[in-house]
Each structure stands twice: as structure tokens, then as C-alpha cells.
Amino acid sequence: MLIRSEFDIQFQMARRAAMVAMLHLHPSLERHVRTGNVLVVEHLEEGVVPGFGELIGTAEYGDSFGNRCSRFVAPEGLLRVSGTSTIEVDGLAEEAGAEARQAAIEELPCEVLQFLLPSRYCEVDRFMPVAQDLFGWMKPGWERAAAIRDWVHEKVRFDYQTARPTKTAMDVFTERVGVCRDFQHLAVTMSRCQNIPARYATGYLGDIRWPYTGAGDFSAWYEVWLEGRWWTMDARHNEARAGRVLMAVGRDAADVAITTSCGNAELRHFYVESHELLEDGTVVAPVAAV
Amino acid sequence: MLIRSEFDIQFQMARRAAMVAMLHLHPSLERHVRTGNVLVVEHLEEGVVPGFGELIGTAEYGDSFGNRCSRFVAPEGLLRVSGTSTIEVDGLAEEAGAEARQAAIEELPCEVLQFLLPSRYCEVDRFMPVAQDLFGWMKPGWERAAAIRDWVHEKVRFDYQTARPTKTAMDVFTERVGVCRDFQHLAVTMSRCQNIPARYATGYLGDIRWPYTGAGDFSAWYEVWLEGRWWTMDARHNEARAGRVLMAVGRDAADVAITTSCGNAELRHFYVESHELLEDGTVVAPVAAV
Amino acid sequence: MLIRSEFDIQFQMARRAAMVAMLHLHPSLERHVRTGNVLVVEHLEEGVVPGFGELIGTAEYGDSFGNRCSRFVAPEGLLRVSGTSTIEVDGLAEEAGAEARQAAIEELPCEVLQFLLPSRYCEVDRFMPVAQDLFGWMKPGWERAAAIRDWVHEKVRFDYQTARPTKTAMDVFTERVGVCRDFQHLAVTMSRCQNIPARYATGYLGDIRWPYTGAGDFSAWYEVWLEGRWWTMDARHNEARAGRVLMAVGRDAADVAITTSCGNAELRHFYVESHELLEDGTVVAPVAAV
Amino acid sequence: MLIRSEFDIQFQMARRAAMVAMLHLHPSLERHVRTGNVLVVEHLEEGVVPGFGELIGTAEYGDSFGNRCSRFVAPEGLLRVSGTSTIEVDGLAEEAGAEARQAAIEELPCEVLQFLLPSRYCEVDRFMPVAQDLFGWMKPGWERAAAIRDWVHEKVRFDYQTARPTKTAMDVFTERVGVCRDFQHLAVTMSRCQNIPARYATGYLGDIRWPYTGAGDFSAWYEVWLEGRWWTMDARHNEARAGRVLMAVGRDAADVAITTSCGNAELRHFYVESHELLEDGTVVAPVAAV
């Protein structure tokens, strides 16, 4: 299956400011990339058509999680970051690993250990007894990991209006309402409490082979380490889906902000979509919503 | 100057459990090491003299911050981790950089950027306005960085009894009391809010060329990035001191736990000291307390 | 000046449920009431015109703060609570008491002491050092009380979208954004920290002799005890206004919920207005907005 | 049974300061008082024997919960508050009400309604879903109320070292450790979440007809409203005990501080005991500890 993902995001910069973007596809997808995966940063002066602005140079680096980051200096005025990529993937929904075993801590690879630690939005140290009460009696491994995801999915309600940048897993646990990232933070936290390494993931999740759900956006999900590999989990949607396109992973949302500006950046335009593409370049329309 | 640092820590393990230790000196000190810097892990059966227990094998790895970590499986029973190191350093107190300038974000090295982010105990995202009110009017660079350290030192009171594992910078800000790590967390957080990269550091700080202050312990301090390098800061002691011996750095205390056990480890013995050593091996007695 | 205040609030009740309402004017206004101040509770069956529904009986009581509360059992279906009152007041904006002195604690009346204590949304115990840093150096009395109000007004931004029921003064202090109640909670908390008794107030604040600001709503303000009496303060608007009509006072918003339902009550209609009235009953149009 | 309760508390006052004390027995015990129930406040100058100091006048008032409060101005220097009371009670342990029904909200007396609200240390608004998950499936009334008490008793560990003045029910829920007041705050909060009115209580709980547990102190417990009356519950001890002597009730610990000083009061002496007394005045020794 071919997936085309694209974004066009514009900010009005009150003044010159350094920015960091995590808008490339994740390095693990590199061998799947057919076209694109280029970040275009433009300065759009008054009246300039998007795509014809002055190009801003970017520098790339890998962060400590292996994500591909870009940094640049945005001049005062209108800034546009955009890109289009086509990848070829098998088109299968993410696997469930019903038999996946949970490794003993001593068998975890070293680089995985950090995903057991508390982080800004995942207060593992405060959640230990709560997670133990809820899940400690269950069979370790996939069963317990999936139960955590299901519990969060069941107990938390989605509501865009309730998003706030400082919301932590504990806030989600008590308020029981949030957006993508909030669902995943709570599930990540409780997984770690149960010695299941868990990391936060961000990327595209378009309505591919799936009923149409509305305008596109980036999405968040998470991954758990079982049976020697990472498995995709999504406490918000909780459905096996084809068409996730990974951009970045980290301990939690603090590590994988799509764009970070060190000055006043006012969002003016936001377009993010991903679609299935036929070999001839035709976009496959999403299934009509039910 | 020669510094000998040593530790002897013993745990009663309720059952076999994986452990991670960060008890080596920091890799940046490697060229200063004269002797030791070996981690000895022993299982002490009933009646066995420390130093003669069954050796437990350890595996080493570097974490994403460049710290030297050791992992091993502790058997049920009494566990001893110990080590002695001698390093040769210039013996100067840490420098103050009165002229050190604060780099614009765009000039920061990529690997330094992560030390501007919020982390478990450093809620940068919640502290922005508070830090701006307190320090935003000051001259950027050393002056502002030092003012943050001084403010924390002045406003927070030390009290061992008030330590708790979940205490965050916000708790320290409101309670105004804490231990080493709490002072540093608050200063780290406010530094980051002001775009000064700051990282948490842990190591030895014996009473070297300093009045005696009591039994030894590990200590925490922090480092800020100014003028292209890291500078040592200590919001608790707030004195330029010779004899800091660095063990590990990270975003905050969550990253640099001296020992982490994934099972019930009850502390039975705790000895940590560092001293100045003469060339003939004589320990320099600390200056009498005033 | 005559002020007419009115409300018409309708809920869809998922099932029979007990309700408490604080929708009368405050007992201190009783001698100013010319007409109305009656709470009408109706069950509106399908097709019934508001005002002609089946009347629901209510029972009244005074709570420990002297507020007039009504309780009743709402049947399943559409519920309407409504009322209209006319009061006659002097029409002066609330006074400033530039000379008002702050009493020593020992001179405070007993019933005022409780307004120094921490309460659900006013964490006086956590704010002590923060308030002391900010205001402890100022002249006690009106000057300090007004400085607290001004500080909150200056530092906090109004945004309806950021309201949430669990938001405390500490959240407002760190997020610096909120609605009426949030402004007042922060100011109340800091006032109490400085030994100025402060209580939360709720009522009508229409655009009376004031430029039109939009559809009506209940409003919140607060009162401080200085020079032997309560003075009105409003950290959100921070303007002396004619036309406040008090409904209830308490320690914080937890004490003075306009309506509390012990079952699922979905808001269907919400109309709240207060206007100046001429003797002939004509409503005085608010001044055009600037 | 006769119970003698006594206290002798001494503070070093850094300067003259207003104080409030809640050191009388609760008014509901008045008809049981045989002797005493007098609060003695003395200023102890250098060398003056306790009991012979200069008497400080106090003024009494009832707070909004019906507690008997005393206020006075403590001079600089050593302050002693002391008192002895003897009451006669039936000597029965507090009753369990296995059949006690939970009233519908609409049947609750008005003055009881406030004990359903959130308060400083009881974040009812944040605990709703948690309490519903844990207890919502249970039979309402005594069974559910007792299950809440038992759960807290089972899950929380007592540790004097972990007390801190700002600890809320949510902190107790996540840390699972605390002192008397913390156990009761958590149980009170979860009871209110389940529409069981609950109030915090403080008083004496000596080792009467009970094995000796150490030096005396004031204790905290709580009360729930079922079947038309208040029932004593104690989530810390969770044992039916004779010999509780009530001093004050409130929403939570913020309302019933034994002594509140508005200046620097350093505790110098603290003696609190309660014993069973024979008719001839002999103190009944507590049962030897097991």
C-alpha cells in the first residue's frame, strides 16, 4: 500500500526566533520512503504564493531517541513549513501479540530501560499503587498490557476542549477526559508501573481503509516492549488500523513536539492529511462515515 | 590534588531482583582516574566478611546522557555494592564565569537543546510566568543564571526530614524546604524557563578543604550551559568548592538514581565518603567545623 | 437606582434528582427588594410554554455563611428555574477605602476568622511564601489588599475556554489564565496569606452604566475585611462598578454553586441579565460598546 | 465509665501573637462533663512553675460547625495551655450500624449537605470517577461506607515521618502513607463522592481498655451520616474503641486545628493523655501491650 502524508503549517512570527521541528518521517521508515520526506521552510512575504517564498535553511540532527529533528531560525513575518511524502508499506493493521511475553527486567535491552522511568507527563512514581491495584493481579505480558490500554480507552472520554499543555497522566486519571496525547500518557504511565517499557509515539493516522472522521491532524499513540520488540498501542482509538505513519518517539509528549518555537509563533494555517494512494497517483477516498 | 572517593552500600533483598547502578565516576573523569573506579557487587551470605562474598557479574552500558550504568541481578539475601577510586584533579574550586554569555537558542549545540525541556521533577511548562516575573528583567547570561541559584539558595531551607521521592520543583517552590536534589530541581527548572540549558548532576562532595559537616553522602548539584560550556552550580551550598567528583548527569533525579531495584531492597548499610589524599596515601583530615 | 435582575435556566434531567439552588438575592439585600426575589421551579412537559409548567415545591434554608438556599426534587424531563427581582440601591460604584486599615488578628470578629483559612480552591497553606515574597513588604491594609487585586488582574488573562471545575488558585498562578472565579480564587488566597480575611462572592454584574460587553451571565468577585467591614474587590474587572447584585458568599466557589444537581442535569437554556430600570419600568439600554 | 483527659502544651512565642485554640471538649459532651473542661492559658516567665504563671484572658466563640473555640493574645515568651476534664460515658465502643441506610440526598437535613462538598484536603471533585470505580457497585449505606473505611485502612500505611501540612486526600491516595489525619481525609473524600455525608473529627483516643500503644496524642477520626445520625469511623485504627472523646468536627483538618498561631510559635512541651478513671480517682492502667 502507498501512503501519501502531507502537511502545510503556517505561523505568524512576532519576531525572529529559533525553531525546532520534528516533521520528518521516523528513520525506521526510511527504507519505505518512495518520494519526498523533505521539510520545506519558507518565509512568505506579503503577497507571495505558498511554495514560492524565500527558503530558510535548516540543520538536521538526531536526538537521543533517534528522531530526526530540524532546527532553523524563523524570521519575523509569515512562516510556512510544509512537506509531502509517499511511503510503501504492507498495508496491514498493526499486529496484536496475544502470546507476547513480558521480559524480566534483567532481560530488557539497555536502551529500553529508560522507558520504565517517570517523565514529565507520566508520573510513574505516583501511580505505582494505583496501577498495582488495577492490573497487578493480571497475567503479565500482552494480556496485562492490553488490559491497561482497554481500561484507559474505556474510562477516558475524548474532548478537544479539554486539552491543556500541562495535563499529566494524573490529571487524566482524575478528570477522565482528554485528547490523544492524554489517553496515551495515562496508558504509558500505567504500563511502566507494571514493568512494561512504554514509549510515546507521534505521527499520521489518516482515515485509511476506515470511515471518514473529519479533517486530518497529527495523532499520538504509544508502543510497549514485549517479546523483544515494540508493539503499537492506541488507548484512544483502540482499533487495529492500517496507515499509521510514525514520525517520532520519546518518553512522552515533552520529547516529541512537532514544532517548538522559542518566540511568539501564532498559528495561522494548519493542514495535515494522509491518504492511501494508488500506483497511478490517485488518492483513495476514505470510506464514507457511518 | 588527589581525591579518594569510596562507598559501601548494603541492601537486604527480599527476593532476586534486577538492579541498575550508576556508581562509576563520570566518563569525563576517566583521564583523571589513578586507581579504582571499579564496581564490586557481592552477595554476602550469613557470616561472610564484606569483601569476601560471592561476586555478582555486572554488565555495563552507557545511557542516552553518556553516563556509565551497570546492571546485574541481585540474589535474595544481603547484597553489597562497593568501590574506591582515586582521581587527580587540579584542586581548584569550580569557576565562576562572570562574563559568560547566554547563547541564543539557535547557537546551542543540538545535544544541549534537550536540557531546555520539562522533565519529571522540573515542570518548566508550569513555571514560565513565575520565572519570568522573578528573573525576566535581569541581564541574560551569568548574572541571571547566578541570580536564579542565589534565589533558590536564599529561599529554600534544608531539612532531611522533608525529602520525598515525588517532590517536584513546584513542591519545592511552595514548601520552601527540601534536600539537595530539591534545591537543584527548582534552580534547574527556572534556568530552563529562562532559556538557560540546565542539567542535574550527582556525585561526591566531601568536606575537602572545607570545615567538617558530618557523615558523607552523595550530593546533587547542577550545571548550566553558558558561553559554550557547562558550569557547575549548587543552589544548596552556593559556595565554590574544590573536590566535587561527578558521577552522572541527566534531566533530573529520575535519570540518575544511584541504584534502582526492581524488587524490594531494604537499605542496611550506607557509607559514602570522599577525602583529599596526599601522595603518600595519607588522608587529609577535614578542617575542624566552626 | 433600580436594578432588575432575572434568570431563566433550563435543564434536561436524565432522571429524578435532588437539587440545591442559590438563586435568591443575598439576605443583606432584603431591605432593598422592591419586587420579586421569588424562585420559580417548573417541570415543563412536552409543548408546555415556560411559565405554565407544573410547579415544583422548594424548601428554603440558610447555610452556615448566611446564604439563602433552596432545595427541591427535580423530576425526570425538562426543568426550568427562573425568577425576576427589582431592587433599589444608591447606584454608586463600590467604594475604595484608601485609608482602610488592616485589623490585627486579635481584633477580627470571630465570624470573620474562618475567611483566613485554606479552602478547596484557595490553598492558603501552599501560597504563604509566594504571597510573602510578592506583597509582604507593602504597607498593610488597603494598599496591600489593592495591590494583590491589581497583581492578579495584571498577570492573569481571561479565557472562557480554559475554565475547568477543579482549577485551584495554584493552577491559576501557574497557568495565568482563567475565568471570573479563577481570578478571584487567586486574589482571595493571597489576601488570606497576608492575614486579610477574604471571601468569595457571586451575583449579577450587568453592564449597568457601562459599555455593553455581551450576553449576561452570573459573575464572581470577592470581598476583603478591612477597617471593620467587607469591601468589594474584583480581580477580573478591577473597575469600580455600579450595579453589582450579591447572591451568595462563601470560602470559595465550592460553597456557592448556583445550582447543584445530584443527578445528570444537562443545560438546555441559560439566560441571565441585569439592567438598570427607570421608575416607569423602562429598561435603560447599556452604553454602546466602544 | 469515667474518662480523664488532660493536656499541657507549651510554646515559645517569638513575639506577641493572636492564637485560636480548640481545646475544649465538644459541646455535645457537655452533659457528660463531671469536672474541668476549662482552658488555662498562662504566661510562664523565667523560673515560674507551670500552674503559677500569669493567667491570660481568653474569649470564647462557636464556629460555624458548632465547635467551642477560644481566642487570646499570647505575649512574647513561654506560653502554656493546659486543662483537665473528667467525663462520664457509657464506656461502650462505638456502634456499627450494619443495617444503617443511606438517605437519598433530598432527605438529608440541610445542615448535613455541606459535608458532601469538596474542601481543602478533600478534593471530592477530583475523586468522583476513582471512588465510583472502587465503590460504585456496592450496596449503598453502611456496607459501602464501611468498605471505604476498610479500603483506606488496608491500603494506607502509617508513618509519622511522612506527615506534612499540605498533604491532601489525593496525595494520600498516590503515596499510600500518612498519619491519622491523612487516613481520614481519604476516607472522608471517597465517602462524599458516594453521596455519604462525612465530616472530620478530632479528639482524644487513649489506650482505654486497649493494649498500650505509646505516649498520648490527639487523634483524628471521621463521622458518616447514615440512617439519620452520625456514626464514628476510623480509617486508621479501624477498630471499635471505647474512650473516644470528641473535641471538634469540621469539613477537614483545616477547620479544626487544635491551636493556630498567627506568629512564630515554637513547640516546647507536648503532653496529651486520656485514661479511664475509677470512681475513687484511680487511673486504670492501660492493658500491657502485646
Side-chain angles (χ1 to χ4, degrees):
Chain A
M1 180 169 71
L2 295 177
I3 299 178
R4 188 172 74 197
S5 57
E6 46 191 346
F7 62 92
D8 176 350
I9 306 174
Q10 297 172 26
F11 297 101
Q12 186 66 35
M13 306 298 299
R15 59 175 183 283
R16 188 176 174 280
M19 289 191 83
V20 171
M22 297 172 95
L23 283 162
H24 282 95
L25 304 186
H26 192 258
S28 64
L29 289 175
E30 222 132 273
R31 61 198 174 87
H32 298 285
V33 173
R34 280 241 197 138
T35 67
N37 202 17
V38 173
L39 171 67
V40 179
V41 183
E42 296 167 84
H43 179 212
L44 292 181
E45 283 183 81
E46 190 71 37
V48 173
V49 176
F52 293 85
E54 180 199 356
L55 289 179
I56 309 290
T58 67
E60 260 194 53
Y61 65 98
D63 66 13
S64 72
F65 303 102
N67 300 310
R68 209 172 147 186
C69 309
S70 311
R71 55 193 295 186
F72 52 90
V73 178
E76 190 187 316
L78 192 59
L79 182 86
R80 179 182 186 240
V81 291
S82 64
T84 305
S85 306
T86 314
I87 58 167
E88 181 171 2
V89 290
D90 60 17
L92 302 177
E94 63 257 19
E95 282 178 274
E99 305 302 316
R101 283 162 309 173
Q102 184 170 336
I105 305 272
E106 59 258 38
E107 288 154 17
L108 292 174
C110 298
E111 67 276 15
V112 164
L113 287 174
Q114 66 181 310
F115 296 108
L116 290 173
L117 295 178
S119 55
R120 173 63 186 103
Y121 302 112
C122 299
E123 309 104 321
V124 175
D125 47 340
R126 293 188 71 198
F127 262 100
M128 283 292 187
V130 172
Q132 185 61 18
D133 282 353
L134 286 171
F135 308 109
W137 55 275
M138 288 185 178
K139 204 180 146 214
W142 182 267
E143 191 170 311
R144 201 184 290 188
I148 290 171
R149 177 200 59 199
D150 295 350
W151 189 93
V152 173
H153 178 73
E154 186 65 34
K155 295 287 187 179
V156 180
R157 187 171 51 84
F158 185 88
D159 182 354
Y160 257 121
Q161 301 306 321
T162 65
R164 63 178 191 274
T166 57
K167 202 173 200 173
T168 69
M170 188 53 73
D171 293 327
V172 186
F173 180 68
T174 57
E175 301 177 16
R176 301 285 167 99
V177 66
V179 295
C180 290
R181 77 173 221 158
D182 300 317
F183 284 76
Q184 320 308 343
H185 279 156
L186 181 52
V188 161
T189 306
M190 301 233 250
S191 301
R192 290 181 191 165
C193 286
Q194 292 287 301
N195 288 335
I196 302 168
R199 65 187 191 185
Y200 184 90
T202 187
Y204 299 88
L205 176 59
D207 296 322
I208 290 176
R209 301 185 184 177
W210 199 260
Y212 181 68
T213 61
D217 194 354
F218 296 114
S219 192
W221 55 87
Y222 72 109
E223 297 178 337
V224 293
W225 182 271
L226 292 173
E227 193 77 41
R229 50 161 282 206
W230 291 109
W231 303 79
T232 294
M233 294 254 169
D234 184 342
R236 180 190 160 195
H237 298 97
N238 205 9
E239 295 147 342
R241 291 276 288 266
R244 285 182 205 273
V245 182
L246 185 66
M247 298 170 74
V249 296
R251 288 204 197 163
D252 62 28
D255 291 327
V256 296
I258 297 301
T259 58
T260 309
S261 162
C262 305
N264 213 327
E266 198 188 320
L267 190 65
R268 285 296 172 86
H269 180 77
F270 187 82
Y271 169 83
V272 173
E273 287 293 350
S274 64
H275 292 295
E276 184 174 354
L277 214 63
L278 298 186
E279 278 294 336
D280 64 1
T282 322
V283 165
V284 180
V287 184
V290 231
Chain B
M1 182 171 68
L2 296 178
I3 300 177
R4 188 172 75 195
S5 57
E6 45 190 347
F7 62 92
D8 176 351
I9 306 173
Q10 297 172 26
F11 297 102
Q12 186 66 34
M13 307 298 299
R15 58 174 185 284
R16 188 177 174 279
M19 290 190 84
V20 171
M22 298 173 93
L23 283 162
H24 282 95
L25 304 186
H26 192 259
S28 63
L29 289 175
E30 221 132 275
R31 63 197 172 88
H32 298 285
V33 173
R34 279 240 196 139
T35 66
N37 201 16
V38 174
L39 171 66
V40 180
V41 183
E42 297 167 83
H43 179 212
L44 292 182
E45 282 182 82
E46 189 73 36
V48 173
V49 176
F52 294 86
E54 181 199 357
L55 289 179
I56 309 290
T58 67
E60 259 193 54
Y61 65 97
D63 67 12
S64 72
F65 303 102
N67 300 309
R68 210 171 146 186
C69 308
S70 310
R71 55 193 296 185
F72 53 90
V73 178
E76 189 188 318
L78 191 59
L79 182 86
R80 179 181 186 242
V81 290
S82 63
T84 305
S85 306
T86 315
I87 58 168
E88 181 171 2
V89 290
D90 59 18
L92 302 177
E94 62 257 20
E95 281 177 276
E99 305 302 314
R101 282 162 310 173
Q102 183 170 336
I105 305 272
E106 57 260 37
E107 289 154 16
L108 292 174
C110 299
E111 66 278 13
V112 164
L113 287 173
Q114 65 181 312
F115 296 107
L116 290 173
L117 296 177
S119 55
R120 172 63 186 104
Y121 301 112
C122 299
E123 309 103 323
V124 175
D125 47 339
R126 295 188 70 198
F127 264 99
M128 282 293 187
V130 172
Q132 185 62 18
D133 283 353
L134 287 171
F135 308 109
W137 56 276
M138 288 184 178
K139 205 181 144 212
W142 182 267
E143 191 171 310
R144 201 183 290 187
I148 291 171
R149 176 201 59 197
D150 295 349
W151 189 93
V152 173
H153 179 72
E154 187 64 33
K155 295 288 187 179
V156 180
R157 186 170 52 85
F158 185 87
D159 182 354
Y160 257 121
Q161 302 304 322
T162 65
R164 61 179 194 274
T166 58
K167 201 172 200 173
T168 70
M170 188 53 73
D171 293 326
V172 186
F173 180 68
T174 57
E175 302 176 18
R176 301 285 167 99
V177 65
V179 294
C180 288
R181 75 173 224 160
D182 301 317
F183 284 77
Q184 321 307 345
H185 280 156
L186 181 51
V188 162
T189 306
M190 303 233 249
S191 302
R192 290 181 190 164
C193 286
Q194 291 288 301
N195 287 335
I196 302 168
R199 65 185 190 187
Y200 183 91
T202 188
Y204 299 88
L205 177 59
D207 297 321
I208 290 177
R209 300 184 184 180
W210 200 260
Y212 181 68
T213 61
D217 193 354
F218 295 114
S219 191
W221 55 87
Y222 71 109
E223 298 178 338
V224 293
W225 181 271
L226 293 173
E227 194 75 42
R229 51 163 280 207
W230 291 109
W231 303 78
T232 295
M233 293 254 170
D234 183 341
R236 182 189 159 196
H237 296 98
N238 205 11
E239 295 146 343
R241 292 276 288 264
R244 287 182 203 274
V245 182
L246 186 65
M247 298 170 74
V249 296
R251 289 203 197 164
D252 63 28
D255 290 328
V256 296
I258 298 299
T259 58
T260 310
S261 162
C262 306
N264 213 326
E266 198 188 321
L267 189 65
R268 286 294 172 87
H269 180 77
F270 187 82
Y271 169 81
V272 173
E273 287 294 349
S274 63
H275 292 294
E276 184 174 354
L277 214 63
L278 298 185
E279 278 296 336
D280 64 2
T282 321
V283 166
V284 179
V287 184
V290 229
Chain C
M1 182 172 67
L2 295 178
I3 300 177
R4 187 173 74 197
S5 57
E6 46 191 346
F7 62 92
D8 176 350
I9 306 174
Q10 297 172 26
F11 297 101
Q12 186 66 35
M13 307 299 298
R15 58 175 185 282
R16 188 177 174 281
M19 289 190 83
V20 171
M22 297 171 95
L23 284 161
H24 282 93
L25 304 186
H26 192 258
S28 62
L29 290 174
E30 223 132 272
R31 62 198 174 89
H32 298 283
V33 174
R34 278 239 198 142
T35 66
N37 201 16
V38 174
L39 170 67
V40 180
V41 183
E42 297 167 82
H43 180 212
L44 291 182
E45 282 183 83
E46 190 72 36
V48 172
V49 175
F52 294 85
E54 180 199 357
L55 289 179
I56 309 290
T58 66
E60 260 193 54
Y61 66 98
D63 67 13
S64 71
F65 303 101
N67 300 309
R68 208 171 145 186
C69 309
S70 311
R71 55 192 297 186
F72 52 90
V73 179
E76 189 187 318
L78 193 59
L79 182 86
R80 181 182 185 242
V81 290
S82 63
T84 305
S85 306
T86 314
I87 58 167
E88 181 171 1
V89 289
D90 59 18
L92 302 177
E94 61 257 20
E95 281 177 276
E99 305 302 314
R101 282 162 310 172
Q102 183 171 335
I105 305 271
E106 58 259 38
E107 289 154 16
L108 292 173
C110 298
E111 66 278 14
V112 164
L113 287 174
Q114 66 181 310
F115 296 107
L116 290 173
L117 295 178
S119 55
R120 173 63 186 104
Y121 301 111
C122 299
E123 309 104 322
V124 175
D125 47 342
R126 293 189 72 199
F127 263 99
M128 282 292 187
V130 172
Q132 185 62 17
D133 283 354
L134 287 170
F135 308 109
W137 55 276
M138 289 183 176
K139 205 183 144 208
W142 182 267
E143 191 171 311
R144 200 184 291 188
I148 290 172
R149 176 200 61 197
D150 295 349
W151 189 95
V152 172
H153 179 72
E154 188 65 33
K155 296 287 186 178
V156 180
R157 186 171 51 84
F158 185 88
D159 182 354
Y160 257 121
Q161 302 306 321
T162 64
R164 60 178 194 274
T166 58
K167 201 172 201 172
T168 69
M170 188 53 73
D171 293 326
V172 186
F173 181 68
T174 58
E175 302 178 17
R176 300 284 167 99
V177 65
V179 295
C180 287
R181 76 173 222 159
D182 301 317
F183 284 75
Q184 320 308 344
H185 279 156
L186 181 51
V188 162
T189 306
M190 303 232 251
S191 301
R192 290 182 191 164
C193 286
Q194 292 287 301
N195 287 335
I196 302 168
R199 64 186 191 186
Y200 183 91
T202 188
Y204 299 88
L205 177 59
D207 297 321
I208 289 176
R209 301 185 183 177
W210 200 258
Y212 181 67
T213 61
D217 194 354
F218 295 114
S219 191
W221 55 88
Y222 71 108
E223 297 178 338
V224 293
W225 181 271
L226 292 173
E227 193 75 43
R229 52 162 279 205
W230 291 109
W231 302 78
T232 295
M233 293 255 169
D234 183 342
R236 181 189 161 196
H237 296 96
N238 205 10
E239 295 146 343
R241 292 276 289 266
R244 287 183 203 273
V245 181
L246 185 66
M247 298 170 74
V249 295
R251 288 204 197 164
D252 62 28
D255 290 328
V256 295
I258 298 300
T259 58
T260 308
S261 161
C262 305
N264 212 327
E266 198 187 322
L267 189 66
R268 285 295 173 87
H269 180 77
F270 187 83
Y271 169 81
V272 173
E273 288 294 349
S274 63
H275 291 293
E276 184 175 353
L277 214 63
L278 298 186
E279 278 295 336
D280 65 1
T282 322
V283 165
V284 179
V287 184
V290 230
Chain D
M1 182 170 67
L2 296 177
I3 300 178
R4 187 172 74 196
S5 57
E6 46 191 346
F7 61 92
D8 175 351
I9 307 174
Q10 297 172 25
F11 297 100
Q12 185 67 34
M13 307 300 297
R15 58 173 184 284
R16 189 175 174 280
M19 290 190 83
V20 172
M22 298 171 94
L23 283 161
H24 283 94
L25 304 186
H26 192 259
S28 63
L29 289 175
E30 223 133 273
R31 63 197 173 89
H32 298 284
V33 174
R34 279 239 197 141
T35 66
N37 202 17
V38 174
L39 171 65
V40 180
V41 183
E42 296 166 84
H43 180 214
L44 292 182
E45 282 182 83
E46 191 71 37
V48 173
V49 176
F52 293 85
E54 180 200 358
L55 289 179
I56 310 290
T58 66
E60 260 194 53
Y61 65 98
D63 66 13
S64 72
F65 303 102
N67 300 309
R68 209 172 146 185
C69 309
S70 311
R71 55 192 297 186
F72 53 91
V73 179
E76 191 188 316
L78 192 59
L79 183 85
R80 180 180 185 241
V81 290
S82 62
T84 305
S85 306
T86 314
I87 58 167
E88 180 170 4
V89 290
D90 60 18
L92 302 177
E94 62 256 20
E95 281 179 275
E99 306 301 315
R101 282 162 310 172
Q102 183 170 337
I105 304 273
E106 58 259 38
E107 289 154 17
L108 291 174
C110 298
E111 68 276 14
V112 163
L113 288 173
Q114 66 180 311
F115 296 106
L116 290 173
L117 295 178
S119 55
R120 172 63 186 105
Y121 302 111
C122 299
E123 309 103 322
V124 175
D125 47 340
R126 295 189 69 199
F127 263 99
M128 283 292 188
V130 172
Q132 185 62 18
D133 283 354
L134 286 170
F135 308 109
W137 55 275
M138 288 183 178
K139 205 182 145 210
W142 181 266
E143 190 171 312
R144 200 183 292 187
I148 290 171
R149 176 200 60 198
D150 295 349
W151 189 94
V152 173
H153 178 73
E154 187 64 34
K155 296 287 185 179
V156 180
R157 185 169 52 83
F158 184 88
D159 181 355
Y160 256 121
Q161 301 305 322
T162 65
R164 62 179 191 274
T166 58
K167 202 172 200 174
T168 70
M170 188 53 73
D171 293 326
V172 185
F173 180 67
T174 57
E175 302 177 16
R176 301 285 168 99
V177 65
V179 294
C180 289
R181 76 173 221 160
D182 301 317
F183 284 76
Q184 320 309 344
H185 280 157
L186 181 50
V188 161
T189 306
M190 302 232 251
S191 301
R192 290 182 191 164
C193 286
Q194 292 288 302
N195 287 336
I196 302 168
R199 65 184 190 186
Y200 184 89
T202 189
Y204 299 88
L205 177 58
D207 297 321
I208 290 176
R209 300 184 183 179
W210 199 260
Y212 181 67
T213 61
D217 193 354
F218 295 114
S219 190
W221 55 87
Y222 71 109
E223 297 179 338
V224 293
W225 181 272
L226 293 174
E227 193 76 41
R229 52 162 280 205
W230 291 108
W231 303 78
T232 295
M233 294 253 168
D234 184 342
R236 181 190 160 195
H237 297 97
N238 206 9
E239 295 145 342
R241 293 276 289 265
R244 286 183 204 273
V245 182
L246 186 65
M247 297 168 74
V249 296
R251 287 202 197 166
D252 62 30
D255 291 328
V256 294
I258 297 301
T259 58
T260 309
S261 161
C262 305
N264 213 326
E266 199 187 319
L267 190 65
R268 285 296 171 88
H269 180 77
F270 187 81
Y271 168 82
V272 174
E273 288 293 350
S274 63
H275 293 293
E276 185 175 353
L277 214 63
L278 298 186
E279 279 294 337
D280 64 2
T282 322
V283 166
V284 179
V287 184
V290 231

